[in-house]
Amino acid sequence: DIDYRRYLHEWTCLPDQNDVIQARKAYNLQSDLLYKSDLEWLRGIGWSPSESLEVQKVKKAGEILSERSYRQPPSTLKFTGILDSLDLVLAKNNAQQLSKRLYTEAWDNDKTNIHVMPDTPEITLAKSNSANISQKLYRQEWEEYKRKGYDLRADAIPIKAAKASRDIASMYKYTAAYRKQLGHHVGCRDIQDDPKMVWSMHVAKIQSDREYKKNFEKTKTKFNMPVDMLDILLAKKCQ
């Protein structure tokens, strides 16, 4: 064993040597245990995100976009207005000019102090106009007449006119003469006795094609040629 193991030389490695320190750093970077040591240390420890960077950013953005903070009421702002400033004096004058109460104040006071006589021309004219346009007075006599009732005789002109118009417009009256004639003409001895049949025969002749061509059929077989026609004289000379 002594011959087998021959030590080349002996040396002493100091812990603060440069290569030792670099090697130790390289081993620490490659060590999985040291890489996960922070995670192992954080396990089981609670964490509140209320003070985290993302939460602070969201809070700041909410304050910037807040409509309530953006539109503050004027009462929250410290401001002291000058009573005799030009804008305030102008606003007061405009308010007084547009005030309905101040505009009608003099008229309201006069209404309680002035007394108008009831027989003045204006009051009399107003009463007459009111009576003219009153619907109650316009229909007063008609309402009283309806309450009294009325007597309309059967031989009155409007009643007779209404009856005559009804008879003219009545379909029963319009067809009464036709219904009386039904059944009277049971039969006729001859066609000439019935005017309707005569009229039907006349219409049939007018519409008949045979009657229309009757005279033509009679004359188409008859041919009359004068003896002194030019063609006949020429034919005789040629013979």
Side-chain angles (χ1 to χ4, degrees):
D1 191 17
I2 294 174
D3 294 335
Y4 178 73
R5 293 184 180 181
R6 289 184 178 180
Y7 296 98
L8 297 177
H9 57 271
E10 295 180 0
W11 73 90
T12 302
C13 182
L14 297 175
D16 56 350
Q17 285 185 358
N18 221 6
D19 53 351
V20 174
I21 295 173
Q22 292 296 331
R24 188 181 292 113
K25 288 183 179 181
Y27 287 147
N28 291 335
L29 291 174
Q30 295 178 1
S31 175
D32 193 19
L33 181 62
L34 294 176
Y35 178 72
K36 296 182 180 180
S37 61
D38 294 339
L39 176 63
E40 295 295 335
W41 175 75
L42 289 173
R43 282 184 178 179
I45 298 176
W47 176 70
S48 177
S50 60
E51 299 297 332
S52 63
L53 181 60
E54 297 296 332
V55 174
Q56 294 297 330
K57 288 169 62 177
V58 171
K59 286 183 179 180
K60 195 64 178 178
E63 292 177 359
I64 295 172
L65 297 176
S66 176
E67 187 74 15
R68 183 171 176 270
S69 300
Y70 177 71
R71 299 182 183 276
Q72 296 181 2
S75 59
T76 59
L77 301 176
K78 295 181 179 180
F79 177 76
T80 302
I82 303 174
L83 298 178
D84 57 349
S85 63
L86 184 61
D87 298 336
L88 191 58
V89 173
L90 179 62
K92 287 182 179 179
N93 293 333
N94 293 337
Q96 291 178 0
Q97 291 177 2
L98 296 176
S99 177
K100 184 70 174 178
R101 183 183 62 81
L102 296 177
Y103 179 73
T104 59
E105 184 178 5
W107 166 242
D108 293 335
N109 295 331
D110 291 341
K111 285 194 298 183
T112 58
N113 298 328
I114 298 175
H115 177 67
V116 181
M117 298 302 294
D119 56 349
T120 57
E122 291 80 2
I123 300 298
T124 305
L125 179 61
K127 289 182 178 180
S128 300
N129 293 336
S130 176
N132 291 332
I133 63 175
S134 175
Q135 290 290 333
K136 181 180 179 181
L137 296 176
Y138 179 71
R139 298 181 178 181
Q140 184 176 5
E141 294 183 2
W142 168 245
E143 296 294 337
E144 293 177 357
Y145 182 73
K146 286 195 300 183
R147 284 197 288 277
K148 291 180 180 178
Y150 58 91
D151 183 16
L152 189 61
R153 299 180 180 180
D155 56 349
I157 296 177
I159 299 298
K160 290 184 177 181
K163 288 182 178 180
S165 300
R166 183 191 61 188
D167 294 340
I168 292 173
S170 176
M171 192 66 185
Y172 177 77
K173 294 286 185 180
Y174 179 73
T175 57
Y178 170 73
R179 294 184 180 279
K180 288 180 180 180
Q181 291 179 1
L182 292 178
H184 290 183
H185 298 282
V186 178
C188 299
R189 293 176 298 176
D190 193 1
I191 295 177
Q192 302 297 329
D193 294 341
D194 191 357
K196 294 184 179 179
M197 296 183 68
V198 174
W199 175 251
S200 299
M201 291 295 295
H202 179 65
V203 173
K205 287 181 180 180
I206 293 174
Q207 295 178 352
S208 174
D209 191 28
R210 179 172 172 274
E211 292 291 334
Y212 179 70
K213 297 181 179 180
K214 182 177 180 181
N215 295 329
F216 172 73
E217 295 293 338
K218 290 180 180 180
T219 56
K220 72 177 182 179
T221 56
K222 295 180 180 181
F223 181 75
N224 297 323
M225 181 180 292
V227 183
D228 54 349
M229 286 184 61
L230 185 60
D231 297 338
I232 295 176
L233 294 178
L234 183 59
K236 287 181 178 180
K237 288 181 180 180
C238 291
Q239 289 178 358

